[in-house]
Amino acid sequence: MSPRKSTRKATVESPAEQAPPPTSTPLFTAALPVRWRDLDAFNHVNNSNYLTYLEEARLQWLSHVPGPWFDENAMPVMAAVQLNYRRPIEWPAQLSVELFCERLGTSSMTIGHRILDVEDPERLYGDGHVVMVWMDPATGKPVPLPDAIRRAAAQD
């Protein structure tokens, strides 16, 4: 008995069609180049570098936040990350990383993110969110979100 072949064609959504649209105006958009050193053996950006791009975008945003957002008693740490890899990033490319405020808590902020191609903003490379918690570095305990972060997130 020979195996039966299916005559039905499989349909696959493109990665961009699977991504939810942003729900608000970005808090910040960072422009980042793809570096040759970011590539892996398959000639596309290594998955760990997507996290580096997100970290760089968050630091750029924080450097633009007016007012103190950290001190010796309150510093942000990443508590969680969720990243959907929508398509490979190839070199050369210029990236646009959009950050969104998804949620403000007592001591945390959930920051949504989208990694896009500058030349083709419809080309989505990745999306998801991170949870940043402000904590006291001496005790490791959560502390209230700095007012500067609340104000910056409200400008959305």
Side-chain angles (χ1 to χ4, degrees):
M1 196 175 209
S2 64
R4 195 168 163 208
K5 290 185 180 179
S6 172
T7 57
R8 292 178 50 191
K9 288 186 177 179
T11 57
V12 178
E13 288 184 21
S14 74
E17 292 170 340
Q18 296 172 359
T23 57
S24 60
T25 304
L27 284 174
F28 184 79
T29 301
L32 301 172
V34 173
R35 304 166 302 182
W36 179 261
R37 65 176 277 184
D38 296 343
L39 304 180
D40 62 16
F42 298 107
N43 205 33
H44 55 67
V45 171
N46 183 278
N47 64 340
S48 64
N49 284 313
Y50 284 61
L51 295 172
T52 301
Y53 299 150
L54 298 175
E55 176 186 47
E56 178 63 29
R58 286 192 310 274
L59 289 170
Q60 284 186 25
W61 172 64
L62 287 168
S63 73
H64 288 87
V65 170
W69 54 269
F70 80 97
D71 59 28
E72 64 278 353
N73 300 313
M75 296 187 179
V77 296
M78 186 168 64
V81 63
Q82 189 266 322
L83 177 56
N84 301 307
Y85 296 94
R86 301 294 182 177
R87 70 176 63 224
I89 303 172
E90 298 174 344
W91 184 89
Q94 290 290 321
L95 305 176
S96 175
V97 181
E98 298 176 342
L99 302 179
F100 303 87
C101 177
E102 289 187 352
R103 181 184 172 280
L104 286 177
T106 303
S107 61
S108 67
M109 177 180 187
T110 302
I111 303 171
H113 53 252
R114 292 169 32 98
I115 303 172
L116 306 163
D117 189 300
V118 167
E119 299 290 321
D120 179 6
E122 296 296 313
R123 179 172 288 158
L124 177 67
Y125 295 117
D127 63 350
H129 61 264
V130 298
V131 177
M132 302 298 295
V133 176
W134 268 255
M135 58 168 265
D136 183 331
T139 66
K141 303 265 188 218
V143 297
L145 214 53
D147 289 337
I149 294 297
R150 288 194 182 281
R151 284 191 303 272
Q155 293 177 5
D156 183 12

